[in-house]
Amino acid sequence: MKFKTKYIAPVGGDGIHTINTGDWRIKKPVLSQEKCVKCGYCLLHCPVNAISKKDGQFTISYSYCKGCGICAHGCPPDAIEMVPEVEK
Ligand code: SF4
Ligand code: SF4
């Protein structure tokens, strides 16, 4: 069986449901590439694995980021700012 989504959870008798954790968010982390010192703290500590590194830059997937703020709280140079989510 092949899944295109990142997170799945079997629920009840009516099949497998996907979990789009981005729907939970009330605040959104915004990462400043100028301030980022590329330490990797955010990537290592994000509980839903929503941060990735590509071509030397760290980026956040807003499909899965649930807005917990762990990345912003621990970022040494304060390169991540939590801003209110606009109405979805
Ligand atoms: S924790 Fe901050 S400085 Fe470190 S990689 Fe993430 S955004 Fe960059
Ligand atoms: S706010 Fe939480 S879920 Fe979103 S990228 Fe940061 S650590 Fe991950």
Side-chain angles (χ1 to χ4, degrees), residues 45-68:
H45 291 83
C46 174
V48 291
N49 200 21
I51 299 179
S52 57
K53 185 181 182 185
K54 191 174 179 194
D55 298 330
Q57 291 203 322
F58 290 83
T59 55
I60 299 169
S61 164
Y62 293 117
S63 295
Y64 296 104
C65 165
K66 61 182 179 177
C68 67

Side-chain angles (χ1 to χ4, degrees), residues 1 5 16 26 32 49 51 60-62 67-68 82-84 86:
M1 197 179 300
T5 49
I16 294 175
I26 55 172
S32 163
N49 200 21
I51 299 179
I60 299 169
S61 164
Y62 293 117
C68 67
M82 299 302 290
V83 301
V86 291

Side-chain angles (χ1 to χ4, degrees), residues 24-42:
W24 303 353
R25 197 173 53 238
I26 55 172
K27 283 193 171 180
K28 174 182 186 172
V30 176
L31 193 160
S32 163
Q33 297 295 344
E34 289 73 31
K35 289 184 183 175
C36 175
V37 296
K38 300 177 176 36
C39 67
Y41 174 93
C42 55

